[in-house]
Amino acid sequence: MLKLQAAAVGRRKQQNVELIQFLVLISLLCVIMMFLLLVPCAIKSHPPQENSDYILTQTQMEDMELEMKRRQQTVMRQCHNTGDDGTKSKLHASRLLKVVTKLFVEKKRKLVWCPVYKAGSTTWMEIFAIIGGVMTPENRIRLSKGLIQMNQLARMVYPKTKDANTTVKFLAKSTRFIIVRHPFERILSAYRDKLEHRKGREFYYRRYGRHIVRSQREDNDTFVDRAEPTFVEFLHYLVKTKTFDEHWRPFTAECAPCELNYQIILKMETLEEEQLFLATKLNLLDALLTVNSTGLLLHNTNPNGRTEHNYAQQYYRDVPNQLLQDVYMLYEKDFRLFDYSPEEYFNFAKMT
């Protein structure tokens, strides 16, 4: 009898344990279900904080629209004042046709971009590659390995036009934009990226560097152990030969602003907010966010780091003031059209 009672008690204890385990399991399931139901609501009501950095208010958009209109009017006014507003028809047509061949033309969005190297071009090459559908994982790997460059990838979708006249007609109904940069800062950036160091830049050393050294150094043995040109030698070369590469060619020659009358003029100095304005305006925000989230592929950037404004004094303090005045004259139209001042750099220059 006692054995039967003990067995009954054991069964009840086992049943109680099983019941408790069942209740615990049910409770856990309820908690999980509540979590799954509530988290999406929380995400919707509290979007990721970083996304708020990519939303401009209506007031910001309106202010930016006014600034773009002001810049466009400044360019057109300066073009008119210099007699470079298209009244010289033959020169106007010739310059326009040369520039048209290099434009990026996105027909669906009626968007036209004139790329200026050393002025935010890599970002927008990638954006065009994204909207063109060629920024695939395979191509990203090729980019990271240096097997292809970003401009080559973008040109797969937006090749240089072979029918300039048709493109000229399309320009009238398009949104045209350009990105500019302080001319003296852009010149310095081009020098640091392409000419300051020979390693990794053999093409530019063979094409320009060694010729600059031969023509400028002469009997000066101060830099006898240096194969690459100095910044001052590069500037002397520019003034003497007026030889321009696409990385330091003036904006007026590279993109014909007087002829194309760009409605959107972005500036490198304030590019982060301004390209956000452009991406929002043209429904390209997803592409811009993709570029920003993945980070730019750095294999084709300056191995010595980006040329920030704080580098300016370091390099320009060795430039004779008269030489810098001569360089300014080469780029004077760029300064005037895009409302840049050379004064800070003249103050950096060496008085002789």
Side-chain angles (χ1 to χ4, degrees):
M1 184 67 179
L2 291 175
K3 290 182 178 180
L4 291 174
Q5 290 178 342
V9 171
R11 284 194 298 272
R12 284 197 295 272
K13 288 183 177 179
Q14 181 63 31
Q15 290 172 348
N16 289 337
V17 170
E18 292 175 352
L19 178 61
I20 292 172
Q21 290 175 337
F22 175 76
L23 293 174
V24 169
L25 178 61
I26 292 297
S27 298
L28 287 173
L29 289 173
C30 289
V31 171
I32 292 172
M33 290 298 293
M34 290 292 291
F35 178 81
L36 293 175
L37 289 171
L38 291 175
V39 166
C41 296
I43 291 175
K44 289 179 181 178
S45 60
H46 300 284
Q49 183 63 37
E50 60 269 21
N51 285 349
S52 64
D53 297 334
Y54 298 102
I55 299 175
L56 296 181
T57 65
Q58 183 177 349
T59 300
Q60 288 174 314
M61 290 292 292
E62 291 172 353
D63 289 344
M64 202 71 74
E65 287 278 8
L66 291 174
E67 176 61 17
M68 293 302 135
K69 179 60 67 175
R70 186 195 69 78
R71 291 178 186 178
Q72 182 186 19
Q73 291 172 347
T74 297
V75 168
M76 289 297 99
R77 182 172 61 253
Q78 290 295 333
C79 289
H80 177 73
N81 291 343
T82 58
D84 197 18
D85 54 358
T87 54
K88 301 175 182 178
S89 57
K90 289 185 178 179
L91 177 62
H92 170 80
S94 174
R95 185 186 301 161
L96 181 60
L97 289 176
K98 285 182 180 179
V99 171
V100 161
T101 60
K102 63 169 287 184
L103 298 174
F104 278 76
V105 179
E106 168 45 55
K107 293 184 178 179
K108 291 183 180 179
R109 292 174 171 80
K110 295 183 178 179
L111 176 65
V112 173
W113 170 49
C114 182
V116 175
Y117 289 96
K118 310 311 300 176
S121 60
T122 303
T123 295
W124 281 89
M125 291 286 183
E126 184 168 354
I127 289 175
F128 273 84
I130 290 171
I131 63 180
V134 293
M135 189 55 74
T136 62
E138 293 78 14
N139 280 333
R140 283 195 177 276
I141 292 174
R142 293 175 67 200
L143 284 162
S144 65
K145 292 181 178 179
L147 300 177
I148 190 173
Q149 294 185 1
M150 190 67 75
N151 64 328
Q152 294 173 316
L153 190 60
R155 283 297 185 191
M156 290 180 181
V157 194
Y158 303 99
K160 292 183 178 180
T161 182
K162 295 180 180 179
D163 187 353
N165 290 324
T166 299
T167 301
V168 168
K169 293 178 182 178
F170 178 79
L171 295 177
K173 55 185 178 182
S174 68
T175 298
R176 303 173 299 282
F177 82 98
I178 184 176
I179 304 172
V180 297
R181 184 179 189 177
H182 193 291
F184 283 162
E185 187 173 311
R186 178 170 172 252
I187 294 169
L188 176 57
S189 178
Y191 166 76
R192 293 187 68 241
D193 186 12
K194 304 300 180 185
L195 297 169
E196 186 173 29
H197 297 282
R198 179 175 177 177
K199 184 178 180 181
R201 295 293 187 262
E202 285 291 338
F203 172 80
Y204 279 88
Y205 176 76
R206 291 193 301 270
R207 187 173 183 180
Y208 297 106
R210 62 184 180 180
H211 300 295
I212 294 173
V213 170
R214 288 173 184 171
S215 66
Q216 299 302 317
R217 196 161 297 177
E218 299 178 350
D219 297 329
N220 184 354
D221 59 0
T222 304
F223 302 101
V224 66
D225 296 325
R226 179 189 173 98
E228 304 88 352
T230 65
F231 185 52
V232 172
E233 288 172 336
F234 171 56
L235 296 183
H236 273 297
Y237 172 80
L238 279 183
V239 170
K240 182 178 180 180
T241 68
K242 297 179 176 59
T243 300
F244 297 107
D245 178 83
E246 60 189 1
H247 293 86
W248 58 82
R249 187 176 294 119
F251 305 131
T252 46
E254 192 73 0
C255 288
C258 292
E259 289 78 9
L260 285 175
N261 189 13
Y262 296 96
Q263 303 102 315
I264 307 293
I265 300 170
L266 309 183
K267 291 195 171 184
M268 188 76 173
E269 294 77 13
T270 48
L271 187 58
E272 184 174 345
E273 182 178 4
E274 291 182 7
Q275 69 182 4
L276 179 57
F277 157 77
L278 179 61
T280 302
K281 178 181 177 67
L282 299 176
N283 196 28
L284 294 172
L285 195 55
D286 287 346
L288 179 61
L289 293 179
T290 299
V291 173
N292 287 350
S293 64
T294 58
L296 293 177
L297 297 163
L298 301 178
H299 68 275
N300 194 39
T301 60
N302 186 353
N304 303 298
R306 177 181 168 183
T307 300
E308 303 286 358
H309 178 70
N310 56 14
Y311 280 97
Q313 186 171 7
Q314 176 184 339
Y315 285 82
Y316 278 96
R317 66 188 178 191
D318 294 326
V319 179
N321 191 273
Q322 183 55 56
L323 173 59
L324 195 56
Q325 294 278 354
D326 293 338
V327 175
Y328 169 77
M329 295 305 297
L330 291 179
Y331 293 87
E332 184 178 14
K333 285 185 179 179
D334 283 2
F335 278 93
R336 292 185 180 279
L337 263 62
F338 299 105
D339 201 19
Y340 283 110
S341 171
E343 292 305 320
E344 181 181 15
Y345 292 81
F346 288 154
N347 291 333
F348 292 154
K350 182 172 62 177
M351 299 301 296
T352 54

